Amino acid sequence: MPTYRAPRGTRDLLPAERPTWARLEALARDLAARYGYREITTPLFELADVFERGIGEVTDVVQKELFRLAPRTEESERWALRPEPTAGIMRAYVQHGMQTWPQPVKLTQTGPMFRYDRPQAGRYRQFVQFDVEAIGDPGPAIDAEIIELGFRFYREAGLDGVEVLLNSIGDGACRPSFIAALTDYYRGHVDALPPLERERLDRNVLRLPDSKDPAMTALNAAAPRITEFLCDACAAHLAGVRAHLDALGVAYRLEPSLVRGLDYYTRTAFEFYKTGREGQQQALGGGGRYDGLIELLGGRPTPGIGFGIGLDRLVLALAETGGASDAEPAPVAVVVGADPDDTVGRLRVATDLRGAGIAARAELGRRKLGKQLEAAVRDGAHFAVILGDELADGNVTLRDLRAATQTLVPVGELADTIARAEASHTHG
RNA sequence: GUGGCCUUAGCUCAACGGCAGAGCAGCGGAUUGUGGAUCCGCAGGUUAUGGGUUCGAAACCCAUAGGCCACCCCA
């Protein structure tokens, strides 16, 4: 075992897996831009208050999973690594007076998040989220637009069979009455509750209808449903979201037991799942409306909606569906030579090629030509440039490693020749 | 945070309580300027770590760490 390894719940993304990540990161950026979202980068850590107030003091994310930074001095502020992107972006919205920008303000960010969780496959202490936020639009049309954007992201990423789960969790006007009704209902059957569920009754009653305990299925089937308690405004909002989704042809499933773990959500809540893997575990992404969040962080009352999509889980899902992983870029040419000791010559030719914009590797090891060519082939290079006696006449040998053909080329024409051959190859 | 399964070379895996090995990957060589095949060789390990049992532990026991699974929760 190595002396040091990556901290628990973190991992190194090695060169072989980076191209897939790079593709998804580029897709996230391009897609967000296509929908009118502008890029923002916020700090990886914030005052802990931003998360505690924004996400909610009594949520698991804050109580158990926040990565708090140890203060360095007495005066040092209480910082925490960001467990999610929304609170920081809303902090920035307030700080920079974005309420004076044309509304809605549509922002996107992709980057690492941190949660002090017990790791598992697809669950890491450092993970990457693709996030979009639309601030200042009360919906419901923008709700549908943002769900469709997320749905499209998976499709264009190459992941099929993604399902949208949709719910409304009400607002300050109607959610309290639903919580009261739910609490009453389960209190009335408290003797039938397993110990764990009994504990959740007080802590997080909204989670009970979603329980995976078989003993709960009958009880949950008869439990009150949020849809029966939505106020007129929330019901109309949900109907509006659905109408717009229908118009866009986005298939979704109403899931009345869907709740979200962060306190700031209101009304629209949604999650993306790989079909067949629904449940509270392994959501590919999720989001919702947070109409009270900006006010909580000191801004004027402003509606907002967004989602976070977990790229780690998307990469896992893509691998599970057996798709080939993206290929690493290979050098176009590798400069090799008959004289193993002539590293100066090989490096100089490679440098000239690089200056001409050609991806070239110089063989700087002092090994025999056969080994150099072998390594060039393993690199996936298209051409080998062979330096040898022909240099006396100002020529090098340009060998096409795929076609196994070679020609003499004057050194001065090498870059042009390679560029031309490579272009005709990739475009033809 | 709770419970369970697992951990031997870079990777995938062998080894009855009795000498730690193979395949792949890496590096070198096969009469001296040409390839992914083949053959030969080299290197790679305090068997995750620390204790214990035993004449003797990779193997049995305990603890710790890490990975995974189910919860909790979330991406």
Side-chain angles (χ1 to χ4, degrees):
Chain A
M1 270 297 116
T3 310
Y4 299 110
R5 50 185 168 187
R8 183 175 201 196
T10 71
R11 63 226 168 99
D12 303 306
L13 297 181
L14 301 180
E17 37 199 340
R18 274 298 309 166
T20 297
W21 278 84
R23 192 190 98 226
L24 295 177
E25 287 157 4
L27 174 62
R29 198 166 41 241
D30 295 349
L31 198 57
R34 213 188 298 169
Y35 281 69
Y37 289 80
R38 304 165 72 195
E39 282 197 79
I40 184 171
T41 299
T42 62
L44 299 193
F45 62 97
E46 298 270 354
L47 275 186
D49 300 46
V50 171
F51 306 123
E52 288 165 353
R53 296 183 58 86
I55 296 168
E57 307 256 9
V58 298
T59 58
D60 276 23
V61 170
V62 165
Q63 279 187 336
K64 319 196 313 193
E65 299 169 6
L66 208 55
F67 256 101
R68 295 174 185 280
L69 303 187
R72 295 187 60 85
T73 66
E74 280 300 311
E75 310 85 70
S76 183
E77 297 179 297
R78 297 170 55 248
W79 293 315
L81 297 179
R82 63 184 186 192
E84 56 86 53
T86 307
I89 292 176
M90 295 314 123
R91 190 267 311 144
Y93 179 93
V94 175
Q95 176 180 341
H96 300 286
M98 295 187 199
Q99 74 275 2
T100 67
W101 297 8
Q103 304 289 303
V105 176
K106 295 163 80 175
L107 300 171
T108 183
Q109 174 171 36
T110 297
M113 309 295 155
F114 305 85
R115 288 185 204 178
Y116 191 81
D117 236 4
R118 190 153 154 184
Q120 236 171 274
R123 198 170 76 180
Y124 305 102
R125 290 183 170 185
Q126 175 178 335
F127 57 98
V128 175
Q129 270 191 20
F130 162 40
D131 181 78
V132 303
E133 309 286 352
I135 311 153
D137 187 328
I142 190 95
D143 301 37
E145 183 188 68
I146 224 165
I147 290 170
E148 193 272 335
L149 164 53
F151 190 66
R152 181 184 300 277
F153 178 69
Y154 292 111
R155 189 155 27 112
E156 297 198 2
L159 185 68
D160 299 322
V162 172
E163 193 172 18
V164 181
L165 270 52
L166 178 71
N167 193 24
S168 172
I169 58 173
D171 63 9
C174 54
R175 191 161 17 159
S177 61
F178 172 60
I179 292 176
L182 213 51
T183 307
D184 281 353
Y185 173 77
Y186 286 110
R187 282 253 162 76
H189 298 81
V190 71
D191 292 339
L193 293 181
L196 179 64
E197 308 302 334
R198 208 171 300 178
E199 182 195 320
R200 290 164 77 187
L201 175 55
D202 298 316
R203 197 163 46 90
N204 199 351
V205 69
L206 286 174
R207 290 276 170 201
L208 279 185
D210 193 39
S211 173
K212 268 161 283 190
D213 193 322
M216 297 290 290
T217 40
L219 206 52
N220 285 341
R225 305 211 148 206
I226 179 74
T227 32
E228 301 152 12
F229 285 82
L230 293 179
C231 60
D232 291 348
C234 284
H237 191 272
L238 178 59
V241 175
R242 298 181 63 180
H244 284 87
L245 284 176
D246 291 340
L248 295 177
V250 175
Y252 61 89
R253 206 177 77 206
L254 271 188
E255 182 50 69
S257 65
L258 172 66
V259 294
R260 308 238 67 221
L262 316 180
D263 275 2
Y264 53 62
Y265 284 110
T266 56
R267 292 189 173 169
T268 308
F270 57 92
E271 288 184 347
F272 300 103
Y273 281 93
K274 182 88 176 101
T275 306
R277 302 197 62 172
E278 302 90 347
Q280 281 297 313
Q281 185 107 3
Q282 296 291 335
L284 288 170
R289 179 160 283 285
Y290 44 85
D291 291 347
L293 176 57
I294 289 180
E295 201 175 352
L296 264 178
L297 294 177
R300 310 187 73 80
T302 309
I305 183 168
F307 67 62
I309 281 179
L311 294 190
D312 305 77
R313 287 183 181 178
L314 174 54
V315 169
L316 266 181
L318 285 171
E320 278 170 14
T321 57
S325 54
D326 298 60
E328 284 181 69
V332 172
V334 173
V335 182
V336 301
D339 175 7
D341 289 329
D342 185 21
T343 52
V344 167
R346 295 199 287 277
L347 186 53
R348 195 164 9 176
V349 171
T351 303
D352 288 344
L353 290 177
R354 292 159 178 166
I358 293 168
R361 180 174 73 77
E363 174 60 63
L364 299 182
R366 294 154 192 263
R367 45 185 174 179
K368 49 188 283 189
L369 181 58
K371 289 289 179 188
Q372 297 183 37
L373 284 167
E374 204 176 309
V377 168
R378 264 198 317 259
D379 263 6
H382 189 172
F383 298 101
V385 177
I386 304 171
L387 274 46
D389 296 337
E390 56 270 49
L391 258 182
D393 303 322
N395 293 324
V396 298
T397 298
L398 179 61
R399 180 169 179 83
D400 185 325
L401 293 169
R402 292 174 197 161
T405 58
Q406 61 188 43
T407 53
L408 274 185
V409 176
V411 193
E413 296 170 21
L414 182 60
D416 281 349
T417 308
I418 291 177
R420 220 176 309 120
E422 181 71 4
S424 76
H425 216 85
T426 47
H427 300 309

